[in-house]
Amino acid sequence: MVYSLTYRRPAYIDSHRASVASEKPSVGRSALDSLDGSINFGIPDALSFDRIIDGGTCPPCTTRDFMNYLVYIEHAAENLQFFLWFKDYSKRFDNLPESERNLAPLWTAEQAEAEALALKDNPTPMKTVSAETAAIFKGTEFAVPNSTVVEVGKGNPFNTPPLTPIEGRDSTAQSDYGWSDAGSTLKGSYKTSHQKKAAGAFDAADIKLQPFTIQPFREEISRIISVYVADGAPRQLNLSSKERAALLHALAITTHPSAFRQVIHTVEWSLRHQAHQNFIRWTICNGNRPRVIFARCLGVGGIVGGMVAAVLITLSDAGRGWRVLSAIGFMIGISTLIAAWKGMCVVLHGMHHRHLRPWELFANADDASSTFEMKKGSFDSFGSSNSYEDEPWIAKYDKRNLLRKILDREVWIQEPALRQIQDTIFLQAVIGSIVITAVSVAIFVALPKGNFY
């Protein structure tokens, strides 16, 4: 079973085109879903973004494969990591008791629009200086016109006071040590580090109001800010300064998932209409780059062989019927070249196989610790940066010679929808080769004999 013969694989979308397309007014879920068919052209419903995220696909189109692609190929895994965290965070927030949910009010669209207008009217953040500093520079060219004078040493009147201690738990107010239901404590320096980074992000956005520590998941939000939002964060999202400032203003008031409304729209747009489309296009290729280049060379060789055979027979005194033999070279060469130009090796396709990715070649399936490390490195929402230059498979793969790369290990493609796409591309290559071969052979058959030998 194949798709339509007019099928075209998804076009490659670069980051610049995706960033321009994402600069649109915020749209709802229905609008995003309605755009999938027009923008993600060439992706069947079985390989849709939601299907992959929900775990409804088989290798090599699973969420794990999507994450590996973003880490090793696209170099933009932070969007998917943040998106997966937000989905889980929204579910956990909705499952909270109503009394706890009420502590974090809904961040409405009207509030977000008002915040955006305020940032537009005052694009530069207010600079906070002490009264002594303001007095020194007053009346000089170094005076900051929009500076805010504060009294150094005075407490913040908006600080949330510590709650009354609860039996079995000292306090729910922010401290240098975490608390868990198991009675253990988080490492103080680790928690303090996230708090300091989050506080620095709030200061950079000129937010004087300290976030309310009584709200649910406030510590987790601080970690998210330090990992994804703060300037220079290890997994910093590609947000504009206005988007970052608006998000921080919202998070200073509430930990409700609606505070991420604009940011999650930007992230999801990029995932759906750039990363997902490029991932499916990349997954269609069943061979590595050396194998695909080798297949292209074989295709060109077959065409050249058919051309040479047709010319030699035409110049001889053999009958016209013998010139049809050149169709063998034309057929094999043209079909192989068309398929290889779309990233497919016809030999691998004949067995519905694909090459293992370089990072899969050296993974030991029996090594549980290796699997754990891979999971911690990419699916851990609060992990370090997505750098992989120090992973051992890179040096091992670079040592492999060209022939070994061409003949790398293969594995069967489990995803039926991907096999159908490849079947369609192969059928298109065969039909295209038949048409071009028929025209080429007809031209040589129409020529008179050369009778040179």
Side-chain angles (χ1 to χ4, degrees):
M1 181 179 177
V2 297
Y3 294 107
S4 172
L5 293 179
T6 59
Y7 172 84
R8 293 176 58 189
R9 62 175 180 160
Y12 179 78
I13 306 296
D14 56 31
S15 58
H16 175 71
R17 288 173 59 188
S19 62
V20 171
S22 63
E23 294 175 358
K24 298 176 179 287
S26 179
V27 296
R29 167 67 56 186
S30 59
L32 280 172
D33 294 340
S34 65
L35 289 172
D36 281 345
S38 60
I39 295 182
N40 291 346
F41 179 80
I43 302 178
D45 293 337
L47 296 178
S48 64
F49 176 78
D50 294 319
R51 191 80 174 266
I52 293 176
I53 295 300
D54 293 338
T57 52
C58 300
C61 300
T62 62
T63 309
R64 160 66 61 190
D65 298 307
F66 192 16
M67 182 69 76
N68 287 336
Y69 167 78
L70 292 176
V71 171
Y72 299 119
I73 305 299
E74 198 79 12
H75 304 151
E78 61 275 359
N79 285 336
L80 181 58
Q81 291 162 340
F82 179 80
F83 180 79
L84 294 176
W85 168 84
F86 180 78
K87 284 191 64 177
D88 178 69
Y89 178 76
S90 299
K91 292 179 182 178
R92 288 186 284 118
F93 189 92
D94 293 338
N95 292 332
L96 288 174
E98 185 177 358
S99 58
E100 293 189 34
R101 291 201 308 267
N102 292 337
L103 296 175
L106 177 71
W107 185 253
T108 63
E110 290 75 14
Q111 290 175 295
E113 292 177 1
E115 188 65 43
L117 290 175
L119 291 173
K120 184 177 180 181
D121 295 337
N122 186 20
T124 57
M126 302 290 288
K127 297 182 179 180
T128 303
V129 298
S130 64
E132 293 80 359
T133 304
I136 293 173
F137 292 106
K138 185 177 181 180
T140 67
E141 59 180 349
F142 299 103
V144 182
N146 62 342
S147 61
T148 303
V149 180
V150 297
E151 295 293 334
V152 180
K154 292 188 176 182
N156 189 340
F158 296 103
N159 278 341
T160 303
L163 298 179
T164 304
I166 303 174
E167 182 180 357
R169 181 174 177 180
D170 292 339
S171 173
T172 57
Q174 264 186 327
S175 64
D176 290 338
Y177 298 95
W179 179 88
S180 65
D181 294 332
S184 61
T185 58
L186 295 171
K187 188 176 180 181
S189 60
Y190 177 76
K191 180 177 179 180
T192 304
S193 174
H194 284 292
Q195 290 176 346
K196 288 182 178 179
K197 291 180 180 178
F202 283 120
D203 291 339
D206 193 46
I207 299 175
K208 307 300 186 300
L209 180 64
Q210 178 180 333
F212 300 105
T213 57
I214 195 175
Q215 291 176 338
F217 303 120
R218 173 53 69 183
E219 171 59 24
E220 184 174 351
I221 292 299
S222 297
R223 297 173 67 188
I224 286 295
I225 293 173
S226 66
V227 174
Y228 294 96
V229 182
D231 192 20
R235 296 179 179 178
Q236 184 177 353
L237 297 173
N238 186 20
L239 303 176
S240 66
S241 58
K242 291 183 179 180
E243 287 177 321
R244 183 180 296 107
L247 173 62
L248 290 172
H249 276 79
L251 294 178
I253 297 175
T254 180
T255 58
H256 195 280
S258 58
F260 295 94
R261 181 186 292 107
Q262 182 60 36
V263 172
I264 200 63
H265 161 70
T266 302
V267 169
E268 187 173 1
W269 180 278
S270 176
L271 286 173
R272 285 181 178 271
H273 304 306
Q274 181 203 4
H276 174 236
Q277 187 163 340
N278 293 344
F279 168 65
I280 298 299
R281 177 186 174 91
W282 175 77
T283 306
I284 292 174
C285 304
N286 59 4
N288 56 26
R289 182 172 178 80
R291 181 64 169 258
V292 172
I293 294 177
F294 180 71
R296 292 177 182 178
C297 294
L298 287 181
V300 173
I303 295 173
V304 172
M307 184 78 67
V308 171
V311 170
L312 292 178
I313 297 175
T314 302
L315 295 178
S316 69
D317 58 356
R320 295 175 184 268
W322 290 99
R323 303 175 193 177
V324 180
L325 293 177
S326 63
I328 299 175
F330 281 120
M331 277 282 297
I332 296 176
I334 295 173
S335 59
T336 301
L337 183 61
I338 294 177
W341 211 261
K342 297 184 178 182
M344 283 180 48
C345 172
V346 293
V347 176
L348 292 175
H349 172 72
M351 301 176 288
H352 278 144
H353 281 191
R354 68 173 179 89
H355 271 159
L356 288 173
R357 311 301 181 189
W359 51 89
E360 297 174 329
L361 281 171
F362 305 98
N364 187 353
D366 299 328
D367 190 355
S369 62
S370 175
T371 304
F372 175 76
E373 289 298 328
M374 288 180 65
K375 183 175 181 180
K376 291 294 289 181
S378 56
F379 280 90
D380 182 10
S381 300
F382 305 103
S384 58
S385 63
N386 295 312
S387 175
Y388 62 90
E389 288 77 6
D390 57 345
E391 294 188 11
W393 65 264
I394 296 179
K396 293 179 180 179
Y397 189 75
D398 289 340
K399 293 179 181 179
R400 298 171 75 91
N401 57 51
L402 182 60
L403 183 59
R404 289 193 65 187
K405 291 180 179 180
I406 294 175
L407 302 177
D408 266 343
R409 281 187 292 161
E410 306 165 11
V411 66
W412 185 62
I413 298 175
Q414 301 180 35
E415 176 55 48
L418 182 60
R419 296 200 302 267
Q420 292 181 15
I421 291 177
Q422 293 176 341
D423 289 341
T424 303
I425 293 177
F426 177 74
L427 184 58
Q428 290 173 340
V430 171
I431 294 176
S433 66
I434 291 175
V435 173
I436 298 176
T437 298
V439 174
S440 302
V441 172
I443 292 175
F444 281 103
V445 170
L447 295 175
K449 293 191 295 183
N451 292 322
F452 287 101
Y453 51 89

